[in-house]
Amino acid sequence: MQSVVKWSQGLKLHGISIGTSHRRNFVYPTTRPCCVASSKPHQITNLDQTCSDSLPTFNQSANVPLVEALKTAATEQVACFHFPGHNRGKAAPTSLSSLIGSGPFNHDLPELPELDDLFSPQGPILEAQSLASELFGAHNTWFLVNGSTCGVHAAIMATCNPGDILILPRNSHLSATSGMVLTGAIPKYIMPDYNPHWDVAGGVSVLEVQRAIQEVERDGSKVGAVLVTTPTYHGICTNLEDIVKICHSLGIPVIADEAHGAHFRFNKAFPRSALEQGADLSVQSTHKVLSSLTQSSMLHLSGNLVDPERVSRCLQLLQSSSPSYLLLSSLDAARAQLSDNKGMFDQSLGLALEARKRIQEIPGIDLLDLSVFRLNFCDIDPLRITVGTSRLGLSGHVADDILYECYKIVPELVGTCSLTFAFNLGTRILDVERLILGLNHLSDNFFHKNSKILCSESDGSIQPFERSQMVSTPRDAFFAKKRRVRIKDSIGEICGELICTYPPGIPLLIPGEVITEDALTYLLNAQKQGALVSGASDTALSSVIVCDQ
């Protein structure tokens, strides 16, 4: 116990306090001891095993054209008669400027000629995007200020005409559904591999993609594109290379929703990137594991199956006509950071590998790996660690509350039976020590040999969209006449709104799909456990919007 007190005092020296909070209200499943843990802290060691010699060689200098252009423009002494109204920070709201300082306002500039035009770049934006395409191995790269959602929309619009078939996994992000609303593309869903014990969906098989293409051809329809989510939110990677070979033999472009894999190219310990496996379009959230600002992403193009001019036209329709140069510059800076630091992921990787090793030793805590799936997926992101809470008798949401209240640990994703922790360039040893301490606390206080196992395959757990049936296209359903019905009366109706738990943002109910008892039960159970439900017009889920039939 003395070692725990000493460790906690060490945290306080770093400005960290351990204790309870009222941020979340929850009821523990059993009477539990005080949040002062009884577990001994684990020291993280063996961080000298690196892969810094494994990076590709890039001949980029520390050139940051867009950052430099923004710096120059912001420091000029001008009489400012342009937008935004805070006038380079002189009229910034004090409630915000006192929090973040004046710097962001000073650099929050509009589309000045010296800062270039995002939709017709000829200066620093063009140079910054060219440097990014070289670094990421693309033929063309576009900076995105509307997030990867915008990139998915543009990728679908650039490959699918109205009435074309888009083959995609049923666990695709909601942006794929809204992309089909925008384009009029028709979904052909592939069911991903699913593990009911974890309540986690993996990737898709090459055979499923091939079968879907053959079915579309027999129907006399045209496949506009195949979209694959790789890696998934949990880091599971699909064998994209073999899918690309099949699709390219038929002239079908492949879109990779690679939002969680922007870092893959920069260490041999990581899975291969989508572009390295031949994808035609890759959408990457540069802000997730890399270090650009939230909402900034990149769209990469390779090969000659997709017209880059069409991509540019789509992005002009989809992106803001007043893009944030702070977001754009952060993409330029994140690219330069990668090119300047050859072994920058070595420490993050070492911490993740050591954390995984320590977690394996904790009784009652399971670790997600490729062995839990039936399909032979090619890889898993080593920076994404998912722990199972079923053997503790806790849902992921309750375990999350305990870790936050007692240790101020915040995971990236909370599932019904799991927690996912994202390691990145900012992860430090102190963070990992606290994580190990928190998981040991869960084990010490909630793991018993006779604990009720949640999410077991015998308790009736089901894949929420296993029996999904699409009777109307997402676009037709979006614009159809609708009515509201009680939730208990909605089974068999055609869904009129897009409802998902967020994160991860995978739709449980999609416009145009028949509402099934399985999907409804899953959604209501997730809400009961504390999941945040997004997209429902009735946030209490006592009713749902359906299409007139």
Side-chain angles (χ1 to χ4, degrees), residues 63-78 82-84 86 88-89 102-117 123-128 143 145 293 322-334:
N63 187 19
V64 280
L66 193 48
V67 172
E68 290 298 331
L70 185 61
K71 178 182 177 181
T72 300
T75 54
E76 289 183 336
Q77 299 299 316
V78 300
H82 61 67
F83 300 141
H86 60 68
R88 302 196 179 202
S102 60
F105 292 98
N106 296 338
H107 296 84
D108 181 28
L109 301 178
E111 310 82 62
L112 301 174
E114 58 267 33
L115 294 181
D116 209 357
D117 181 353
I125 292 179
L126 177 63
E127 185 179 355
F143 285 179
V145 294
L293 294 177
S322 301
S324 166
Y325 282 83
L326 288 171
L327 296 181
L328 293 172
S329 297
S330 77
L331 289 168
D332 189 26

Side-chain angles (χ1 to χ4, degrees), residues 7 142 189 489:
W7 184 83
W142 293 266
Y189 287 119
D489 298 328

